[in-house]
Short mmCIF file of all heavy atoms in Angstrom, two decimals:
data_model
loop_
_atom_site.label_atom_id
_atom_site.label_comp_id
_atom_site.label_asym_id
_atom_site.label_seq_id
_atom_site.Cartn_x
_atom_site.Cartn_y
_atom_site.Cartn_z
N ARG A 292 8.28 -12.67 -22.93
CA ARG A 292 9.16 -11.81 -22.13
C ARG A 292 8.36 -10.97 -21.14
O ARG A 292 8.84 -10.59 -20.09
CB ARG A 292 9.96 -10.89 -23.04
CG ARG A 292 11.45 -11.03 -22.84
CD ARG A 292 12.21 -10.10 -23.74
NE ARG A 292 12.37 -8.78 -23.15
CZ ARG A 292 13.16 -8.51 -22.11
NH1 ARG A 292 13.84 -9.48 -21.52
NH2 ARG A 292 13.26 -7.29 -21.64
N GLU A 293 7.13 -10.64 -21.50
CA GLU A 293 6.33 -9.79 -20.63
C GLU A 293 5.39 -10.59 -19.71
O GLU A 293 4.71 -10.02 -18.87
CB GLU A 293 5.53 -8.78 -21.46
CG GLU A 293 6.39 -7.86 -22.31
CD GLU A 293 7.53 -7.20 -21.54
OE1 GLU A 293 7.35 -6.88 -20.35
OE2 GLU A 293 8.63 -7.05 -22.12
N ALA A 330 0.16 -8.90 10.14
CA ALA A 330 0.49 -9.99 9.23
C ALA A 330 1.39 -9.50 8.09
O ALA A 330 1.36 -8.35 7.71
CB ALA A 330 -0.77 -10.62 8.67
N GLN A 393 13.04 -7.12 -9.11
CA GLN A 393 12.02 -8.12 -8.82
C GLN A 393 11.69 -8.18 -7.32
O GLN A 393 10.64 -8.67 -6.94
CB GLN A 393 12.48 -9.51 -9.28
CG GLN A 393 12.41 -9.74 -10.78
CD GLN A 393 13.59 -9.14 -11.52
OE1 GLN A 393 14.53 -8.65 -10.93
NE2 GLN A 393 13.53 -9.15 -12.85
N ARG A 396 7.78 -4.39 -5.36
CA ARG A 396 6.61 -4.13 -6.18
C ARG A 396 6.77 -2.76 -6.83
O ARG A 396 6.38 -2.52 -7.96
CB ARG A 396 5.37 -4.12 -5.27
CG ARG A 396 4.04 -4.02 -5.96
CD ARG A 396 2.89 -4.08 -4.94
NE ARG A 396 2.91 -2.99 -3.99
CZ ARG A 396 2.54 -1.74 -4.26
NH1 ARG A 396 2.10 -1.42 -5.45
NH2 ARG A 396 2.60 -0.81 -3.34
N TRP A 406 23.35 5.88 2.60
CA TRP A 406 24.52 5.56 1.79
C TRP A 406 25.56 4.95 2.71
O TRP A 406 25.83 5.48 3.78
CB TRP A 406 25.06 6.82 1.12
CG TRP A 406 24.11 7.38 0.12
CD1 TRP A 406 23.13 8.30 0.35
CD2 TRP A 406 24.00 7.03 -1.26
NE1 TRP A 406 22.42 8.54 -0.80
CE2 TRP A 406 22.94 7.79 -1.81
CE3 TRP A 406 24.71 6.14 -2.10
CZ2 TRP A 406 22.55 7.69 -3.14
CZ3 TRP A 406 24.32 6.06 -3.43
CH2 TRP A 406 23.26 6.82 -3.94
N TYR C 239 20.27 11.91 6.27
CA TYR C 239 20.65 13.20 5.68
C TYR C 239 19.46 14.07 5.27
O TYR C 239 19.54 14.83 4.32
CB TYR C 239 21.59 12.99 4.47
CG TYR C 239 22.27 11.65 4.43
CD1 TYR C 239 21.85 10.64 3.56
CD2 TYR C 239 23.30 11.35 5.32
CE1 TYR C 239 22.44 9.40 3.56
CE2 TYR C 239 23.91 10.11 5.32
CZ TYR C 239 23.47 9.13 4.44
OH TYR C 239 24.05 7.90 4.43
N ARG C 327 11.03 -3.70 -15.96
CA ARG C 327 11.25 -3.28 -17.34
C ARG C 327 11.65 -1.82 -17.43
O ARG C 327 12.47 -1.42 -18.25
CB ARG C 327 9.97 -3.45 -18.17
CG ARG C 327 9.70 -4.80 -18.69
CD ARG C 327 10.67 -5.21 -19.78
NE ARG C 327 10.51 -6.62 -20.02
CZ ARG C 327 11.08 -7.56 -19.25
NH1 ARG C 327 11.89 -7.25 -18.25
NH2 ARG C 327 10.86 -8.83 -19.49
N GLU C 330 15.17 -1.51 -16.91
CA GLU C 330 15.89 -2.08 -18.05
C GLU C 330 15.87 -1.14 -19.25
O GLU C 330 16.92 -0.81 -19.80
CB GLU C 330 15.24 -3.42 -18.39
CG GLU C 330 15.99 -4.19 -19.45
CD GLU C 330 15.24 -5.48 -19.78
OE1 GLU C 330 15.07 -6.32 -18.87
OE2 GLU C 330 14.80 -5.64 -20.93
N TYR C 349 6.88 -1.30 4.14
CA TYR C 349 6.00 -2.45 4.16
C TYR C 349 5.22 -2.65 2.87
O TYR C 349 5.08 -3.75 2.35
CB TYR C 349 5.02 -2.26 5.32
CG TYR C 349 4.13 -3.42 5.53
CD1 TYR C 349 4.63 -4.56 6.15
CD2 TYR C 349 2.83 -3.41 5.08
CE1 TYR C 349 3.82 -5.65 6.32
CE2 TYR C 349 2.02 -4.50 5.26
CZ TYR C 349 2.52 -5.62 5.88
OH TYR C 349 1.71 -6.70 6.04
N ASP C 350 4.72 -1.55 2.35
CA ASP C 350 3.82 -1.63 1.21
C ASP C 350 4.56 -1.73 -0.12
O ASP C 350 3.94 -1.85 -1.17
CB ASP C 350 2.93 -0.39 1.24
CG ASP C 350 1.91 -0.44 0.13
OD1 ASP C 350 1.33 -1.51 -0.07
OD2 ASP C 350 1.73 0.59 -0.56
N LYS C 359 8.74 -10.16 -13.80
CA LYS C 359 9.29 -10.62 -15.07
C LYS C 359 10.79 -10.79 -14.94
O LYS C 359 11.41 -10.14 -14.10
CB LYS C 359 9.00 -9.57 -16.15
CG LYS C 359 7.52 -9.21 -16.28
CD LYS C 359 7.32 -8.02 -17.19
CE LYS C 359 5.83 -7.67 -17.24
NZ LYS C 359 5.56 -6.57 -18.19
#
Side-chain angles (χ1 to χ4, degrees):
Chain A
R292 237 181 86 70
E293 301 310 325
Q393 284 80 7
R396 187 178 62 75
W406 294 90
Chain C
Y239 340 104
R327 278 290 168 279
E330 187 183 299
Y349 185 76
D350 183 44
K359 305 171 182 184

